Amino acid sequence: MPDTGNLTTGGIGDAVQRKEDFRFLTGRGTYTDDINRMGQTHAVFVRSPHAHAKIKSVDTSAASQASGVVGILTGADMVADEVGSLICGWNVVDRHGEGHKAPPHPPLAHDTVKHVGDQVAVVIAETLAEAQAAAELVDVDYEVLAANVDTASAMSGPEIHPEAPGNLCYDWILGEEATVDAALANSAHVTELDIVNNRLVPNPMEPRAAIGEYDMATGEYTCFSTSQNPHVLRLILCAFVLGIPETKLKVIAPDVGGGFGSKIFCYAEETTCVWASKKVGRPVKWTSTRSEAFLTDAHGRDHVSHVKLGIDADGKFTALKVETIANMGAYLSTFASSVPTYLYATLLAGQYTTPVIFCNTKAVFTNTVAVDAYRGAGRPEATFVVERIVESAARELGVDPAELRRKNFIQPDQFPYETPVALTYDTGNYEASLDKAMSMIDYAGFPARRATSEANGKRRGIGISAYIEACGIAPSAVVGSLGAGVGLWESAQVRFNATGTVTVFTGSHSHGQGHETAFAQLASTKLGIPFENVEVVHGDTSKVPMGMGTYGSRSLAVGGSAIDRACDKIIEKGKKIAAHLLEAAVEDIEFADGNFTVAGTDKAKAMGEVVFTAYVPHNYPEGVEPGMDETAFYDPGNFTYPAGTHIAEVEIDEATGVTEIVDWVAVDDFGNIINPMIVEGQVHGGIAQGVGQALLEGTVYDPESGQLVTGSYMDYCMPRADDLPSFRVDMTTTACTHNPLGVKGCGEAGAIAAPAALINAITHATGTMTVEMPATSERVWRALQENN
Amino acid sequence: MQNFDYHKPNSVDDAVNHMKSSDDGKFLAGGMTMLPTMKQGLAAPKDLIDLVGVGLNGITENSGSLVIGAMTTHADVASNATVRSKLPALADLAEGIGDRQVRAKGTIGGSISNNDPAADYPAALVALGATVKTNTREIPAGDFFVDMFETALAEEEIVVSVSFPTTAQAAYAKFPNPASRYAMVGVFVANGPDGARVAVTGAGSSVFRVSAMESALDGGFSSGSLDGISVPADDLNSDIHASPEYRAHLVSVMAMRAVDACS
Amino acid sequence: MKLEGSYIINASKEEVWLAMNNPEILQASIPGCESLEKLSETQFTAIVKAKIGPVKASFTGEVSLENLNPPHSYTLTGEGKGGLAGFASGAADITLSEHDEGTELQYEVEAQVGGKIAQIGSRLVGGAAKKLSDQFFRRFAAAINGEEENPE
């Protein structure tokens, strides 16, 4: 047996290298597309080239004669099989007390197509090349209808669903409008801003993929899928779409190469593969091309807002009013409705004591692919609104933006702090992170740096973003009362093997976050066993207890807490066995560093010995079950509230409008840290994504034809290493008060904080109220012209 | 991608014969445009005639000129010591094409034969007054590039080499498209025995010269001479990345930067 | 996208109008048009091989003449399906007016592409449409003027 008790590497707080990186970095991961099943066929979807059209006919006769074709299935076949509609699992109730409009979303369209890329048929063939060739022969006759893709004008555009008059999905409010209007009217100053939060394509490195398989002998289906939450996918497929008992569908999400939210949802393709596998009697595999990913992965953001911030004569915020139109795309995706409401409006207090807040969100349908959660999901949009309007107000008032923030911060002694938008922040220290960030970037030295830049024909700007997020999603009772169709607890099973190694089963899912490492560190410290002795299993509904998956920076705060609870159960049981072995009372047994000891004595039993006894219970306490295998379900009492300050500094080339990010400091409060290296990596990745949104990434649908113009990397600009500076990352810490680990979550923070910091820096440099995202060189150049 | 017949001739004549005997053939150089196009299903030639083995690779110096074989890769041009010393602007240009993978496969002959409106090489050929040698004739660069994706090449004609005079001071200033890193605007400036040449790529439907800038530079070769000279925006490209007005502005800025870099 | 322009044609309005209704001249003018079959006086089916650089796609579709106002104006519309490449459609409002040197033909084209060519080729679509449209009117003017325009 390996040496026990060595906790200096791999315990909580160690920057241990990630267990999973060897296989990822050497090409040895097993992704869905790496899996090949006996007798497997290949699916290619026939997709609409039109944004909006009636399907007049689908002629599969030529295609079905093509070489290698096993089957061609259409929307009509799905209707005949009574395949259900893809669902939205969060019912948002509008300002009139009515539920949102969730029009039918057939996995294969049979009547109309509503966005470019909408599925019309699936061609299943022996090889991928044969499926592709046959798909080209499927002749779909369309009657083209007028397309409606623009968020701001969607409500007055052509109607997309008869179920949603005026293309309105819901008209939702939070707060009292009259109160907020009155407070604004009585304010010494009101700052107003029009804000566009640009639409983004998620672009995980691994495109989506699925294999559906049906075992005729057992009547059991298997779905291999690139899912962030295999149990949720199983639940939706079974209970709502395909009508399969949950006992007869196994969902396996193996190594998954990034998701950023886009792999939370139940899509048409995996649904079709599972359904079709029984129809054709063979496993059916589909792997998205990058072109398909652009067209069909749920996009992110896409808000148009008008914002008003009231300020009194002392510089205190009096009221905030936000009116937002949020683009849902053509169909309501799995959690789409919650993103611009409960994950957005509830964060509009930010780090501030703004006493009254009103938010109205109108969600609209358009002839674009669905929009749903994307890294940050609602909270980047909220932070962008708050931090842009606060910065703009400071400039209008001629006060230092840092000082205006400081004056309005919730103070450390005010926690727990109930905001006017339904959340209770448990803890925080916002001034501490602001101060640290300002000192790191030498805020006071900015004027001198600006003068140097100006002497070189460059404009220089500095921008702050003091963000907060609610994550660790989250308390089931709360989300249930807000319309969620699921609970958001998490499960963990901690299984000691007889020889002392531990398998941790988690219902959360790793698609790059490093669960195999961080959770092993957690179990290692908690149980006092070597890091190397812990294996983490996730992503297979046949192995892991039902869990809710990974999104909303929840894995550690919720899933980690469940592991902690399961470990507690192990320790409690171990105490009973140790008491028996040590001939002491259970109450006298203490557990620390992997050893059970009798209090006040040197009598001890190591965890390994106790575990071995549990599996070989020759000398065993009466009434205690053998084995050492415990399961816990953890439902948190509150969200967690990571917060911090990011400051960006930019230099702009006056002649071209090109922005260079010359410095970036991030000071985040994530509560307690399990692995600082993973945390820093998450911060880096998040900032890179936020910089992508602010500077480079913009999704463009042609306003007339509804075609996706930014449908490849020729036109959709992802951030590259040389677009980014070396980030300087530091922490402040206030431990979360309501989970056993004191952790908050770090996965989304960078993407939430970054856009506002960067646009604040750019507008500081240009001297204009706004520059729209992405702040391309032309937009910045035009802003400079406007200001000259 | 559709099936096709792959041919690998070992001489230019052999390659031409393959093309003549095919009713739907395509020459393949580095394949950096052709292969992605085929993979997307946007081209499906019956015969692909690979020029990799026809012996058109290599760089030689020849009394006041550099002769670059058509199949020489961008990476080889970028790293070649002779190009670096005799025509560093061309080496710099090659180093800025695409990414490392593209530079390792893409060729000068393939690039100019394709004549993508945003390719870099056409600006260098036109500004330096290069000569394109084919299997049948020699074509001055100014006559070679006709319109977007259109050259003076006949269907069965193969570029053999490009000959660049090395007598000019030259520099290339490129404003890359942030997504594709093709030239949104690229300006190659050369100042040689025949005077100043300013060639612009990425901004129009094909490479073009700016005579107003050339005569201004002939009056005094410094970026200050270009002050206030701009190209009309009317005929410039417009896409989601840049308006014609911004492209016109960038032509002036990049031209000045190229002139400054010539010294 | 929208394109517009004008050509001077050395012929009378009536002669130009006749040419505008002559399928042979239309076929000769449409770049890459391999066949143009008459369905009625104003409707045709067409096969067009479009070639822009490395891209070569065959479009099958319809060409029709609408809003006929002889001999002053009509709208020439076309739409075609290009398989994997996607689709293209366009409508050209063509107006004739008398001119010192014959007839001035003014056009306003509204063109759209969809599918793969729109998704991956957006930087080139505008330029390509302009080039094809120029080719069409140049060939058309040449055909009426009785000149040989080199097919490309």
Side-chain angles (χ1 to χ4, degrees):
Chain A
M1 254 176 75
D3 182 26
T4 55
N6 173 13
L7 297 183
T8 54
T9 55
I12 288 176
D14 282 344
V16 60
Q17 288 207 346
R18 304 200 319 168
K19 288 186 169 200
E20 46 272 78
D21 283 346
F22 174 77
R23 70 175 192 276
F24 292 159
L25 296 176
T26 57
R28 288 169 169 82
T30 302
Y31 298 88
T32 300
D33 191 54
D34 295 323
I35 295 167
N36 292 298
R37 307 296 294 172
M38 187 81 85
Q40 173 179 288
T41 61
H42 296 266
V44 167
F45 286 85
V46 176
R47 299 184 181 280
S48 169
H50 301 288
H52 196 192
K54 262 194 162 50
I55 301 171
K56 284 157 66 182
S57 65
V58 182
D59 180 357
T60 59
S61 53
S64 60
Q65 299 305 309
S67 153
V69 171
V70 174
I72 301 176
L73 300 167
T74 66
D77 296 310
M78 279 204 164
V79 172
D81 277 11
E82 296 180 356
V83 172
S85 175
L86 298 173
I87 59 153
C88 176
W90 195 310
N91 184 22
V92 168
V93 175
D94 74 5
R95 65 195 303 171
H96 311 295
E98 284 177 33
H100 64 217
K101 305 287 191 301
H105 183 187
L108 294 178
H110 49 81
D111 164 8
T112 55
V113 286
K114 298 187 191 298
H115 66 89
V116 174
D118 212 350
Q119 306 74 218
V120 177
V122 62
V123 176
I124 298 162
E126 298 289 348
T127 69
L128 182 57
E130 285 169 328
Q132 282 166 339
E136 217 186 326
L137 299 175
V138 174
D139 188 15
V140 186
D141 195 10
Y142 296 101
E143 178 191 337
V144 178
L145 304 171
N148 180 359
V149 298
D150 176 57
T151 309
S153 63
M155 286 179 280
S156 56
E159 188 167 283
I160 297 163
H161 297 282
E163 297 84 356
N167 299 313
L168 189 63
C169 176
Y170 55 74
D171 179 355
W172 176 89
I173 56 170
L174 184 64
E176 286 179 24
E177 187 167 18
T179 312
V180 169
D181 283 344
L184 287 170
N186 290 325
S187 298
H189 180 86
V190 175
T191 294
E192 288 194 48
L193 202 57
D194 286 308
I195 290 178
V196 176
N197 204 289
N198 48 326
R199 184 180 180 113
L200 303 174
V201 182
N203 283 301
M205 196 181 287
E206 180 208 20
R208 290 189 294 118
I211 305 171
E213 184 170 356
Y214 179 69
D215 183 339
M216 237 178 292
T218 60
E220 193 175 288
Y221 293 88
T222 304
C223 174
F224 296 89
S225 168
T226 52
S227 176
Q228 296 180 217
N229 41 355
H231 278 99
V232 175
L233 177 59
R234 186 181 70 168
L235 179 68
I236 294 172
L237 285 177
C238 290
F240 298 97
V241 187
L242 295 173
I244 304 168
E246 275 183 279
T247 48
K248 293 293 187 192
L249 174 62
K250 179 162 77 179
V251 174
I252 298 173
D255 284 333
V256 174
F260 312 112
S262 70
K263 292 173 180 168
I264 296 172
F265 322 119
C266 178
Y267 286 92
E269 290 86 358
E270 58 263 28
T271 306
T272 303
C273 286
V274 171
W275 167 71
S277 68
K278 186 177 181 185
K279 304 283 286 182
V280 301
R282 310 225 339 234
V284 177
K285 180 183 199 170
W286 169 77
T287 301
S288 172
T289 63
R290 188 57 69 181
S291 297
E292 283 180 294
F294 272 99
L295 291 177
T296 65
D297 288 1
H299 290 178
R301 319 283 191 253
D302 204 344
H303 286 195
V304 175
S305 300
H306 185 71
V307 185
K308 291 182 196 174
L309 177 67
I311 301 164
D312 70 13
D314 297 328
K316 294 282 278 182
F317 303 153
T318 56
L320 176 69
K321 181 170 187 177
V322 179
E323 292 165 294
T324 294
I325 302 172
N327 193 341
M328 296 284 101
Y331 304 103
L332 208 50
S333 173
T334 312
F335 290 110
S337 56
S338 67
V339 176
T341 50
Y342 298 109
L343 299 179
Y344 168 67
T346 52
L347 273 304
L348 289 171
Q351 300 186 349
Y352 311 110
T353 55
T354 316
V356 290
I357 296 173
F358 173 77
C359 180
N360 173 218
T361 301
K362 292 186 172 78
V364 297
F365 291 109
T366 58
N367 293 117
T368 63
V369 73
V371 180
D372 205 326
Y374 170 67
R375 199 172 193 171
R379 292 149 293 165
E381 296 91 316
T383 295
F384 195 69
V385 162
V386 173
E387 289 304 286
R388 286 287 298 125
I389 193 91
V390 167
E391 189 87 12
S392 304
R395 288 180 196 158
E396 279 184 354
L397 295 169
V399 300
D400 184 334
E403 292 317 306
L404 185 64
R405 287 180 170 89
R406 200 186 295 279
K407 188 173 274 181
N408 286 280
F409 277 155
I410 300 162
Q411 295 301 312
D413 60 6
Q414 290 179 281
F415 294 102
Y417 182 86
E418 196 175 327
T419 73
V421 276
L423 294 178
T424 302
Y425 300 166
D426 62 337
T427 182
N429 186 344
Y430 307 137
E431 210 160 350
S433 49
L434 177 69
D435 287 343
K436 197 168 197 174
M438 287 171 71
S439 142
M440 281 167 72
I441 206 159
D442 183 18
Y443 193 78
F446 176 78
R449 297 195 294 276
R450 174 177 256 186
T452 308
S453 296
E454 279 173 3
N456 296 320
K458 301 279 176 80
R459 298 285 189 94
R460 200 175 185 102
I462 191 164
I464 298 174
S465 175
Y467 75 96
I468 189 163
E469 48 173 326
C471 59
I473 288 176
S476 299
V478 174
V479 297
S481 72
L482 302 177
V486 289
L488 289 174
W489 41 268
E490 196 45 81
S491 68
Q493 183 182 359
V494 175
R495 176 188 297 163
F496 258 108
N497 302 301
T499 52
T501 58
V502 168
T503 310
V504 174
F505 300 84
T506 174
S508 64
H509 183 275
S510 180
H511 29 283
Q513 293 88 345
H515 291 25
E516 289 166 45
T517 304
F519 286 172
Q521 287 180 263
L522 175 53
S524 160
T525 296
K526 186 84 185 178
L527 299 172
I529 55 164
F531 171 71
E532 296 75 22
N533 285 8
V534 186
E535 288 299 324
V536 176
V537 173
H538 66 90
D540 184 337
T541 60
S542 67
K543 293 181 180 165
V544 174
M546 169 121 185
M548 300 314 296
T550 287
Y551 38 83
S553 306
R554 68 189 301 275
S555 291
L556 182 59
V558 190
S561 293
I563 294 170
D564 185 83
R565 288 285 168 84
C567 289
D568 281 342
K569 291 185 181 179
I570 294 271
I571 292 164
E572 283 315 300
K573 184 169 181 179
K575 282 181 177 174
K576 290 179 192 166
I577 300 167
H580 177 82
L581 294 175
L582 296 166
E583 297 175 339
V586 174
E587 307 78 61
D588 292 338
I589 301 294
E590 291 174 344
F591 178 75
D593 300 335
N595 287 305
F596 294 93
T597 51
V598 181
T601 75
D602 58 358
K603 288 169 70 179
K605 285 282 173 194
M607 177 62 99
E609 236 175 312
V610 170
V611 167
F612 186 79
T613 305
Y615 283 104
V616 188
H618 297 162
N619 175 17
Y620 207 63
E622 210 170 302
V624 176
E625 291 175 13
M628 197 61 106
D629 189 347
E630 296 290 345
T631 299
F633 289 77
Y634 178 78
D635 198 348
N638 192 353
F639 294 87
T640 63
Y641 299 96
T645 295
H646 288 214
I647 306 180
E649 197 162 317
V650 300
E651 249 190 1
I652 292 171
D653 177 356
E654 275 189 60
T656 60
V658 169
T659 298
E660 188 193 351
I661 304 170
V662 291
D663 202 358
W664 195 293
V665 300
V667 178
D668 300 290
D669 178 356
F670 298 134
N672 295 333
I673 304 291
I674 304 293
N675 184 322
M677 181 196 70
I678 291 179
V679 169
E680 190 171 343
Q682 286 280 8
V683 173
H684 282 219
I687 298 171
Q689 250 166 324
V691 168
Q693 164 158 35
L695 210 53
L696 305 165
E697 299 180 48
T699 307
V700 179
Y701 281 94
D702 183 87
E704 281 166 34
S705 66
Q707 296 292 325
L708 179 62
V709 177
T710 49
S712 80
Y713 295 131
M714 289 296 289
D715 295 295
Y716 190 88
C717 186
M718 293 293 284
R720 294 165 164 92
D722 65 353
D723 294 315
L724 305 166
S726 286
F727 306 125
R728 297 192 288 140
V729 177
D730 207 337
M731 307 282 159
T732 58
T733 303
T734 60
C736 174
T737 60
H738 57 79
N739 65 46
L741 301 169
V743 298
K744 298 184 180 178
C746 66
E748 298 164 292
I752 291 169
L758 193 48
I759 297 300
N760 285 342
I762 290 171
T763 51
H764 186 225
T766 58
T768 51
M769 274 292 268
T770 194
V771 173
E772 270 189 24
M773 298 193 291
T776 60
S777 53
E778 176 161 5
R779 283 180 174 160
V780 172
W781 174 72
R782 286 187 184 279
L784 290 170
Q785 306 299 305
E786 181 192 319
N787 194 28
N788 278 345
Chain B
M1 189 175 349
Q2 301 288 312
N3 288 339
F4 57 88
D5 288 328
Y6 174 81
H7 308 274
K8 194 177 168 189
N10 47 28
S11 72
V12 171
D13 286 347
D14 202 9
V16 171
N17 287 336
H18 274 295
M19 182 60 93
K20 283 181 176 162
S21 64
S22 171
D23 61 348
D24 184 20
K26 270 292 208 184
F27 290 123
L28 181 70
M32 293 296 92
T33 298
M34 193 65 217
L35 296 182
T37 307
M38 289 169 68
K39 284 182 177 176
Q40 291 285 357
L42 295 177
K46 284 186 196 148
D47 295 284
L48 210 50
I49 302 150
D50 193 343
L51 301 177
V52 71
V54 301
L56 296 180
N57 207 332
I59 299 168
T60 52
E61 197 189 352
N62 195 347
S63 58
S65 63
L66 270 179
V67 180
I68 302 181
M71 289 297 287
T72 309
T73 63
H74 311 320
D76 285 345
V77 172
S79 62
N80 181 275
T82 312
V83 183
R84 278 261 159 238
S85 73
K86 298 290 175 186
L87 205 47
L90 193 69
D92 291 344
L93 175 147
E95 196 164 27
I97 297 174
D99 53 33
R100 190 174 285 270
Q101 289 81 353
V102 166
R103 292 193 292 274
K105 290 296 288 179
T107 67
I108 186 170
S111 172
I112 64 169
S113 302
N114 187 44
N115 193 20
D116 189 299
D120 298 300
Y121 269 127
L125 267 69
V126 169
L128 290 167
T131 303
V132 179
K133 188 177 173 209
T134 76
N135 55 324
T136 59
R137 56 182 169 153
E138 293 193 347
I139 309 169
D143 299 334
F144 182 82
F145 302 104
V146 176
D147 197 353
M148 68 182 292
F149 295 118
E150 203 181 325
T151 66
L153 289 172
E155 195 75 4
E156 289 143 14
E157 194 170 5
I158 296 176
V159 174
V160 170
S161 64
V162 184
S163 171
F164 293 92
T166 54
T167 44
Q169 287 176 294
Y172 180 56
K174 173 177 176 175
F175 191 98
N177 175 316
S180 68
R181 307 253 162 134
Y182 270 89
M184 202 146 90
V185 168
V187 181
F188 202 104
V189 171
N191 190 28
D194 300 334
R197 295 270 185 93
V198 177
V200 179
T201 189
S205 61
S206 183
V207 59
F208 63 89
R209 284 170 60 183
V210 187
S211 51
M213 289 183 179
E214 292 177 356
S215 36
L217 289 171
D218 284 340
F221 193 80
S222 81
S223 58
S225 305
L226 298 180
D227 226 1
I229 303 179
S230 59
V231 296
D234 307 350
D235 283 333
L236 298 189
N237 296 340
S238 173
D239 58 24
I240 59 167
H241 303 286
S243 65
E245 298 73 33
Y246 183 54
R247 278 194 163 88
H249 170 74
L250 287 178
V251 169
S252 300
V253 175
M254 291 297 120
M256 289 194 209
R257 291 187 179 177
V259 170
D260 285 338
C262 276
S263 53
Chain C
M1 83 210 78
K2 282 190 169 62
L3 303 161
E4 53 182 34
S6 68
Y7 278 85
I8 307 297
I9 298 168
N10 185 10
S12 71
K13 260 174 86 169
E14 284 71 19
E15 287 168 320
V16 176
W17 178 259
L18 283 178
M20 281 162 58
N21 287 275
N22 179 339
E24 279 172 31
I25 290 183
L26 286 176
Q27 180 176 348
S29 306
I30 297 170
C33 187
E34 298 205 325
S35 79
L36 190 73
E37 282 178 30
K38 200 167 175 176
L39 295 175
S40 73
E41 282 305 309
T42 57
Q43 280 190 305
F44 311 88
T45 56
I47 298 176
V48 175
K49 278 235 162 79
K51 191 174 168 304
I52 298 286
V55 173
K56 208 170 176 182
S58 180
F59 289 84
T60 56
E62 284 189 8
V63 173
S64 56
L65 311 177
E66 293 164 11
N67 306 325
L68 296 154
N69 178 20
H72 308 292
S73 63
Y74 74 20
T75 305
L76 175 66
T77 68
E79 56 179 61
K81 286 201 261 189
L84 270 186
F87 67 87
S89 65
D93 288 323
I94 300 174
T95 312
L96 305 179
S97 55
E98 278 162 21
H99 187 273
D100 294 346
E101 297 166 34
T103 302
E104 182 175 15
L105 180 156
Q106 286 178 301
Y107 66 88
E108 278 182 36
V109 179
E110 174 83 55
Q112 282 187 350
V113 294
K116 199 152 262 177
I117 36 180
Q119 192 188 351
I120 66 178
S122 77
R123 77 185 169 104
L124 301 170
V125 165
K130 189 163 171 290
K131 182 174 174 178
L132 292 173
S133 150
D134 281 350
Q135 273 179 16
F136 173 82
F137 287 106
R138 204 168 63 227
R139 289 176 185 201
F140 183 71
I144 299 173
N145 288 339
E147 295 163 13
E148 271 298 309
E149 172 75 12
N150 280 339
E152 282 157 41

